[in-house]
Structure formats: structure tokens, C-alpha cells
Amino acid sequence: MARTELDVLVIGAGVVGAGAALDAVTRGLTVGLVEARDYASGTSSRSSKLIHGGLRYLKQLNFRLVFEALRERSLILDTLAPHLAKPVEFVYPLERPGLDRAWVGAGVGVYDVLGAGRGVPQHHRHLGKRTTLARFPGAKRGAVYGGVSFYEGQLDDARHTMMLSRTAASHGALVASSARVIDFLREDGRVVGALVHDLESGRHLEVRAKRVINAAGPWTDEIQDMLGGPSQFRIRTSKGVHIVVPRDRIDSETGLITETEKSLLFVIPCPWSDEHWVIGTTDTDWDHDLAHPAATRADIDYILAQVNRLLETPIGHDDIVGVYAGLRPLLAGNSESTSALSREHTVVNPVPGLVIVAGGKYTTYRVMAKDAVDLAVADLPGRVARSCTERVPLIGAHGYRELSLSRVRLAEEFGVDMATVEHLLGRYGSAVAELRDLIAAHPELGAPLGNSRYLKAEIVYAVTHEGALHLDDILARRTRLSVETGARGMDTAAEVAKLVAPHLAWDDAQIAREVETYLARVEAELRSNMQPDDAAADAIRVAAPDSRGAFDFPIEDPVSV
């Protein structure tokens, strides 16, 4: 990036930044994408894993946002990422039979009208008490009087965002993680690029670009503040906490959704494993470290209390195998409650050469990315093509459906059972052929990693093809070992580090540092989950070592064009 002048430099490789990079490069522009940590390491790996219209927005009468989200849901499910995204059925258990059935039925009825034929198998259905209990046998007796069934979409957000970045790179974008923007380059009042700190080498590089897009999510204000002067808007971060529990702890054939006094609570079939539920979320202010939001005992107690309203056999802390917390970057408003703030997005041009995109929701990332690039290139010399990302499938999508019909052959080629084939197709799509080639060259990589469902080849592939640079990248985002078992990936950390060491040029000392850092991170998270409030939890979490926080290099003369 430092050897040329880019047309567009995108800051932040969350879903919007990765989407903006793909949008810009498929218009024929030269594009750079820089990420301070790992692809999807912020909000975009810590969502509810749903692509949905949003029942809460119907309650706010925001039909435009719901229609837009349902259109994007259909695109993701049918065209852009059918290998990563799947329809999932939910039942809304009715606790107040008359009132609940009226507003839920009306709400999902509007869903059907706005999203007719958009990606999911069927319209909503009203269920009687007997049918509801047959679909949800674990329901609390005397608390559930019926239900409403409807479909949403789901995906593994971290994989989807990483695949967006990979797809942008496959079209010619230059992408780099561990690349932190520490200042803008300015000439005559115009932003002409950024000063980037390479956290792996310690170098500082000037990356020049005709236009810069700030898509830093929760870090938007931090990047804005580099400009000095007043900001056109501010970001208010809302913390959302989820817990992960084994599938057998809740007896239900479908996902569940219910309303709480603050928001909505989802019990979601885990998108990366058929052995777990993801349950959440919370919606509270967060005023602490942005890189490592921490879940407290109070957050977890709240989620347990809400879900146990519906369960005949309650779940407790001992049932939890994983906890994660993420931050929603909401446009600041006058509301006291973050749950009342808009999930719409804004795109602004505060100074010449710079565009900022903020707000929004995961499902509508492609629209946000398009709007940001449209504004960025509006005054570029020459004719710039229009956005075409509604027709650009992600890596692994092309040929996926045809390949999925050959499961038996794939099982024979990989030497695995059908469940493993389903697992691989759902993570790689047609790119599973690259994994097969890796195993053909190194047969030992066809073995499982410990007692997990992952193959050793997947661990190596995370480095050779998916941009992982640290142990945390692999255990928390390329796989989900950090939240799938009570061990939180600590039992496989050493084996994973040794598998990838040759590909990352790690010696024994670096292997030991990576493992030690990961173990300390998990232990800090477990301790933070026992704290009564955000301040106490944050103090413990930020004190833990960070694989990308161990560098404190002085700024030397930067490498520039």
C-alpha cells in the first residue's frame, strides 16, 4: 500500500469496512483495507449471528429499515453467501395469549408482506398450545399458551466478515490486519491518506489515497478525533452479551424469541455447531475499553432470568460453556436507553478526502458500504462504475449448491463421516476443495484436532488462506473453540500453536508466548464474568496481556511513497 497512491483506503475490517473494500474494488478502483486487530475482531464477531428484518423496528414503525433488511437477508441467503447463511425457524411462545398473539401475529404478518419470497421457506404460522409444546417440549407448564412460528436467517458473523475481506482481496484489494491507523495525512486541508502502524513489525508507513473511508465501528469517534475540531455526530456504544449452552440443556426443535422489558431475547440454534444454543442479548451502555468489552455476573444473571421464564427445567451458570460481549456502535441521541436509539446508519464527508460511515446493523452492511463508497467517489475524476455487489458472491458460494449434492463423494475423499462433510461445507462452501488439496499434500492434517470437530487442516488453512496471525485469531474467530466447551480452547491451544508455527515462523519462545497470552486472556474473561459491574470486569480484562498490545514502538521516519 505504501508503494502507490490508492483510489480508496478503508479503515476497519469489520463487516462494513470489508464490504466497502469489496464494493470499491469491484468498481475497478485500487483499494486498501487496514484493520488494527484481526478481521471481524470487534463488533462483527460478537453479534447475535442473525440476518433479519428486526421485529423491534416494526414496533418502532420503521418499515423502511425492515424492508431494506429483508431485501438484504434474501441476497445473503440466496446469492451472496448461501454456504455461510441458512434459514432458521423461530417460535415466539405466547405468555399472554390474547395480547401477544395480536401484536406478534401482526408484526410477523408485516414481515411476510415486506419480505414476500425473500430467502426463507414460508410465511409465519399461528400455533396452538399443543403444537407449540410439541415443537418446544421444554416449555414451562402453565406459562406458554401457544406460539407464532416464522423464519429468519443466521450465519457465523466472524467467518462471513473474513470471507468478505478474502473476496475483496481476490478481486485485487490490498488487505492488512495488525495495521493500526494513528493519524491522517493531510495536505491543504484535505485528507490524502493515513499513517499506519504495523503492529507485527513496529514499522510506521504512510499510505496515500485519493479518498479515505472510516468504517471503524465503535472506534469511529477515536478516528474522528484525529481530525481535531467538532464532530458531526458521536457514537454511543451499547454492550450486547450472549451465553452459549449445550443443545441438550433446552428441549426445543426450533429457535425461540421473546420480548423482555428492555429488548428481545433470542435462543438461537448455534450457526457453527448443532450441539449448542446461543442465548442473548443485553442492551446497556458501555464506557470502557472498546477492544475487550466484558460481560459481568449481572449481565449473565439477566439472560438466565429471562430465558428461564420460558423453561420448565431452568439453566444455570454451570450449564454455560461460553460467554461473549460485543459493542453496537449506535448514533448518539437524546434517549436515556440505548435500546431506543436508531439502528439506521449515516454517511458524512466532514472534510475533503474523508468519508465516515457509522451506525446501522449487520444485515444491511452491503447498503452501508455502497453508500459510503458512493459518497467517497462522487467527485473523483473520471467515470466510476456503479456498485455491483448485489451480484458478487463471496468465496465459496460459486458452485456450492452443486457441490453439496456430492456429500457422499466428499466424505470418501476426506475420509470423514457425513456430519463432518456438512461442517466443512457450511464453513468453506466450494472452497472446501482447497482444504482437500491441503490434506492430499499433508495427510496427517486430515485428523481431528484433539476431541474437537475441527480437522487439523482447518487450523493450518486459517493461517495459509484466512489471514490469521495469532492464536486468538484462530481459537476465537476462524474456529469457535473459545466458546464451544468449558475449557474455552485452553486444552487445544498448545497443539494449535505448534501446528501453525512453521507457517508463521514462530520459534519455541514465540509459541510459548502465544499460548501464555491466550491462557491469560481466557482466565481474565472468566474472572471478569464473575464481577458485579462493568468497571470491575473491565479492570480485570484490560490487565490481561494482548497478542497485539505488546508493541510500543517509537515513531521513526515513516516509509512513504
Side-chain angles (χ1 to χ4, degrees):
M1 297 184 204
R3 289 197 294 267
T4 186
E5 183 185 33
L6 303 168
D7 290 322
V8 176
L9 173 65
V10 182
I11 302 171
V15 69
V16 177
L22 179 59
D23 185 286
V25 76
T26 52
R27 299 186 193 211
L29 302 171
T30 57
V31 177
L33 172 65
V34 291
E35 163 57 44
R37 303 185 63 80
D38 181 30
Y39 307 103
S41 60
T43 300
S44 297
S45 61
R46 307 178 193 185
S47 74
S48 293
K49 323 301 178 193
L50 294 176
I51 42 173
H52 60 125
L55 284 176
R56 77 164 75 184
Y57 315 126
L58 284 179
K59 203 166 185 180
Q60 298 166 356
L61 302 181
N62 193 337
F63 299 115
R64 187 197 63 77
L65 180 59
V66 173
F67 179 79
E68 181 179 81
L70 290 173
R71 182 190 63 210
E72 294 303 309
R73 181 186 73 179
S74 176
L75 274 174
I76 294 169
L77 285 167
D78 294 339
T79 304
L80 305 182
H83 54 315
L84 302 175
K86 300 290 183 292
V88 59
E89 184 184 5
F90 282 93
V91 167
Y92 192 113
L94 304 178
E95 299 174 84
R96 301 166 298 175
L99 183 62
D100 280 356
R101 192 176 291 281
W103 94 258
V104 177
V108 295
V110 173
Y111 241 39
D112 291 345
V113 172
L114 295 178
R118 295 187 182 275
V120 297
Q122 62 187 46
H123 293 331
H124 80 281
R125 292 181 301 143
H126 284 268
L127 309 177
K129 181 176 181 179
R130 181 178 299 176
T131 305
T132 300
L133 293 176
R135 305 301 304 281
F136 176 26
K140 181 179 288 187
R141 300 301 181 261
V144 174
Y145 297 92
V148 178
S149 164
F150 64 101
Y151 279 81
E152 290 285 17
Q154 69 171 175
L155 48 65
D156 183 339
D157 50 5
R159 288 204 64 76
H160 175 255
T161 297
M162 179 274 296
M163 283 292 200
L164 269 173
S165 302
R166 271 193 77 185
T167 305
S170 75
H171 284 274
L174 305 173
V175 303
S177 60
S178 291
R180 180 174 296 151
V181 169
I182 58 175
D183 204 356
F184 289 115
L185 305 180
R186 280 166 278 196
E187 292 178 1
D188 301 323
R190 184 180 193 86
V191 170
V192 295
L195 181 61
V196 181
H197 184 187
D198 176 0
L199 298 180
E200 301 301 319
S201 69
R203 294 184 304 163
H204 292 79
L205 301 99
E206 289 185 356
V207 178
R208 302 184 72 83
K210 296 171 186 173
R211 300 293 183 271
V212 176
I213 297 175
N214 174 11
W219 289 269
T220 296
D221 286 351
E222 183 179 303
I223 301 294
Q224 278 194 106
D225 290 344
M226 294 177 187
L227 293 172
S231 300
Q232 293 191 2
F233 60 85
R234 304 301 289 182
I235 292 297
R236 186 169 168 186
T237 50
S238 162
K239 183 177 67 167
V241 174
H242 295 77
I243 62 174
V244 181
V245 302
R247 195 67 174 264
D248 62 6
R249 300 304 193 271
I250 297 177
D251 189 3
S252 179
E253 296 178 4
T254 73
L256 306 170
I257 178 174
T258 188
E259 189 176 22
T260 72
E261 70 272 17
K262 298 179 182 178
S263 185
L264 294 175
L265 185 87
F266 294 91
V267 180
I268 307 161
C270 186
W272 63 82
S273 164
D274 59 6
E275 299 176 355
H276 298 88
W277 297 102
V278 175
I279 308 173
T281 181
T282 62
D283 197 337
T284 57
D285 271 316
W286 177 262
D287 299 316
H288 304 281
D289 180 64
L290 298 178
H292 304 294
T296 66
R297 178 84 179 202
D299 294 324
I300 297 169
D301 285 344
Y302 170 81
I303 293 172
L304 291 173
Q306 296 303 318
V307 73
N308 283 336
R309 283 176 26 220
L310 301 174
L311 302 179
E312 179 69 17
T313 304
I315 60 174
H317 287 269
D318 291 342
D319 297 309
I320 297 171
V321 297
V323 178
Y324 65 89
L327 300 178
R328 306 175 189 89
L330 306 178
L331 299 176
N334 296 321
S335 173
E336 290 295 322
S337 168
T338 56
S339 63
L341 294 180
S342 173
R343 265 59 173 176
E344 295 193 63
H345 69 276
T346 190
V347 180
V348 299
N349 181 200
V351 297
L354 176 66
V355 165
I356 301 174
V357 55
K361 59 199 293 281
Y362 194 104
T363 305
T364 56
Y365 79 89
R366 195 192 64 82
V367 177
M368 297 172 65
K370 172 186 174 297
D371 290 349
V373 177
D374 280 347
L375 183 57
V377 304
D379 60 347
L380 270 182
R383 185 173 180 274
V384 177
R386 300 178 66 177
S387 175
C388 64
T389 49
E390 76 278 6
R391 302 186 301 276
V392 180
L394 303 193
I395 286 175
H398 181 71
Y400 159 71
R401 289 190 174 92
E402 294 79 3
L403 187 62
S404 66
L405 299 175
S406 303
R407 291 177 175 85
V408 174
R409 175 177 60 81
L410 288 172
E412 292 174 354
E413 290 180 359
F414 278 91
V416 297
D417 57 23
M418 292 298 289
T420 303
V421 170
E422 295 285 355
H423 159 82
L424 295 173
L425 284 171
R427 283 171 53 77
Y428 304 96
S430 57
V432 75
E434 296 172 343
L435 209 65
R436 180 189 58 206
D437 294 343
L438 184 60
I439 293 172
H442 305 279
E444 70 278 7
L445 297 180
L449 175 74
N451 295 320
S452 78
R453 61 200 173 83
Y454 298 99
L455 302 182
K456 292 180 179 179
E458 296 182 77
I459 304 303
V460 173
Y461 187 90
V463 170
T464 59
H465 289 70
E466 297 178 344
L469 297 178
H470 293 280
L471 199 52
D472 182 63
D473 302 348
I474 300 167
L475 296 174
R477 286 172 291 280
R478 304 306 183 278
T479 72
R480 293 295 192 164
L481 286 164
S482 65
V483 292
E484 285 184 345
T485 68
R488 312 289 172 100
M490 292 190 291
D491 54 340
T492 57
E495 184 179 4
V496 169
K498 289 175 183 176
L499 277 171
V500 301
H503 304 279
L504 291 169
W506 289 351
D507 57 17
D508 288 345
Q510 182 63 28
I511 291 173
R513 280 196 298 272
E514 287 284 334
V515 172
E516 181 181 339
T517 298
Y518 181 77
L519 297 183
R521 175 219 130 173
V522 172
E523 290 166 359
E525 286 187 351
L526 292 171
R527 288 176 56 215
S528 69
N529 294 163
M530 300 302 295
Q531 303 308 306
D533 55 50
D534 286 347
D538 177 68
I540 290 172
R541 185 61 188 86
V542 298
D546 187 334
S547 57
R548 287 181 168 88
F551 300 97
D552 188 18
F553 300 101
I555 297 182
E556 72 288 352
D557 291 335
V559 179
S560 61
V561 178

Coordinates of all heavy atoms in Angstrom, one line a residue, residues 407-408 410-422 424 439 446-448 455:
R407 N -22.2 -35.0 -1.3 CA -21.7 -35.2 0.0 C -21.0 -36.6 0.2 O -20.0 -36.7 0.9 CB -22.8 -35.0 1.0 CG -23.4 -33.6 1.2 CD -24.5 -33.6 2.1 NE -25.0 -32.3 2.4 CZ -25.9 -31.6 1.6 NH1 -26.3 -32.2 0.5 NH2 -26.3 -30.4 1.9
V408 N -21.6 -37.6 -0.4 CA -21.1 -38.9 -0.2 C -19.7 -39.0 -0.8 O -18.7 -39.6 -0.2 CB -22.0 -40.0 -0.9 CG1 -21.3 -41.4 -0.9 CG2 -23.4 -40.0 -0.2
L410 N -17.6 -36.5 -1.2 CA -16.7 -35.7 -0.4 C -16.3 -36.5 0.9 O -15.1 -36.4 1.3 CB -17.4 -34.4 0.0 CG -17.5 -33.4 -1.1 CD1 -18.4 -32.2 -0.7 CD2 -16.1 -32.9 -1.6
A411 N -17.2 -37.2 1.4 CA -16.9 -38.0 2.6 C -15.9 -39.0 2.3 O -14.9 -39.3 3.1 CB -18.2 -38.7 3.2
E412 N -15.9 -39.6 1.2 CA -14.9 -40.6 0.8 C -13.6 -40.0 0.5 O -12.5 -40.5 0.9 CB -15.4 -41.4 -0.5 CG -16.6 -42.3 -0.2 CD -17.2 -42.9 -1.5 OE1 -16.7 -42.5 -2.6 OE2 -18.1 -43.7 -1.5
E413 N -13.6 -38.8 -0.1 CA -12.3 -38.1 -0.5 C -11.6 -37.7 0.8 O -10.4 -37.7 0.9 CB -12.6 -37.0 -1.4 CG -13.0 -37.4 -2.8 CD -13.3 -36.2 -3.7 OE1 -13.1 -35.0 -3.2 OE2 -13.6 -36.3 -4.9
F414 N -12.4 -37.2 1.8 CA -11.8 -36.6 3.0 C -11.6 -37.8 4.0 O -10.9 -37.6 5.0 CB -12.7 -35.6 3.6 CG -12.5 -34.2 3.0 CD1 -13.3 -33.8 2.0 CD2 -11.6 -33.3 3.6 CE1 -13.2 -32.5 1.4 CE2 -11.5 -32.0 3.0 CZ -12.2 -31.6 1.9
G415 N -12.3 -38.9 3.8 CA -12.2 -40.0 4.8 C -12.9 -39.6 6.1 O -12.4 -40.0 7.2
V416 N -14.0 -38.9 6.0 CA -14.7 -38.5 7.2 C -16.2 -38.9 7.1 O -16.7 -39.3 6.1 CB -14.6 -36.9 7.4 CG1 -13.2 -36.5 7.6 CG2 -15.2 -36.2 6.2
D417 N -16.9 -38.7 8.2 CA -18.4 -39.0 8.2 C -19.2 -37.8 7.6 O -18.6 -36.8 7.3 CB -18.9 -39.4 9.6 CG -18.6 -38.2 10.6 OD1 -18.5 -37.1 10.2 OD2 -18.6 -38.6 11.8
M418 N -20.5 -38.1 7.4 CA -21.3 -37.1 6.8 C -21.4 -35.8 7.6 O -21.6 -34.7 7.1 CB -22.7 -37.7 6.5 CG -22.7 -38.8 5.4 SD -22.1 -38.1 3.8 CE -23.5 -37.1 3.3
A419 N -21.5 -36.0 8.9 CA -21.6 -34.8 9.8 C -20.4 -33.9 9.6 O -20.5 -32.6 9.6 CB -21.7 -35.2 11.3
T420 N -19.2 -34.4 9.4 CA -18.0 -33.6 9.2 C -18.1 -32.9 7.8 O -17.7 -31.8 7.6 CB -16.7 -34.4 9.3 OG1 -16.7 -35.0 10.6 CG2 -15.5 -33.6 9.1
V421 N -18.6 -33.6 6.8 CA -18.8 -33.0 5.5 C -19.7 -31.8 5.6 O -19.5 -30.8 5.0 CB -19.3 -34.1 4.5 CG1 -19.8 -33.4 3.2 CG2 -18.3 -35.1 4.2
E422 N -20.8 -32.0 6.3 CA -21.8 -30.8 6.5 C -21.1 -29.7 7.2 O -21.2 -28.5 6.8 CB -23.0 -31.3 7.3 CG -23.9 -32.3 6.7 CD -24.7 -31.7 5.6 OE1 -24.7 -30.5 5.4 OE2 -25.4 -32.5 4.9
L424 N -17.8 -29.0 7.1 CA -16.9 -28.3 6.2 C -17.6 -27.5 5.1 O -17.2 -26.4 4.8 CB -16.0 -29.4 5.5 CG -15.1 -30.2 6.5 CD1 -14.4 -31.3 5.7 CD2 -14.1 -29.3 7.1
I439 N -4.9 -31.4 2.5 CA -4.9 -32.7 3.1 C -4.2 -33.7 2.2 O -3.4 -34.6 2.7 CB -6.3 -33.2 3.5 CG1 -6.8 -32.3 4.6 CG2 -6.3 -34.7 4.0 CD1 -8.3 -32.6 5.0
G446 N -5.5 -34.4 7.9 CA -6.9 -34.9 7.9 C -7.4 -35.4 9.2 O -8.6 -35.8 9.3
A447 N -6.6 -35.5 10.2 CA -7.0 -36.0 11.5 C -7.7 -34.9 12.3 O -7.5 -33.7 12.1 CB -5.8 -36.5 12.3
P448 N -8.6 -35.3 13.2 CA -9.3 -34.2 14.0 C -8.3 -33.6 15.0 O -7.3 -34.1 15.4 CB -10.3 -35.0 14.8 CG -10.4 -36.3 14.1 CD -9.1 -36.6 13.5
L455 N -10.9 -30.3 11.8 CA -9.7 -31.0 11.3 C -8.5 -30.2 11.5 O -8.5 -29.0 11.5 CB -9.9 -31.4 9.8 CG -11.1 -32.2 9.4 CD1 -11.1 -32.4 7.9 CD2 -11.2 -33.5 10.2

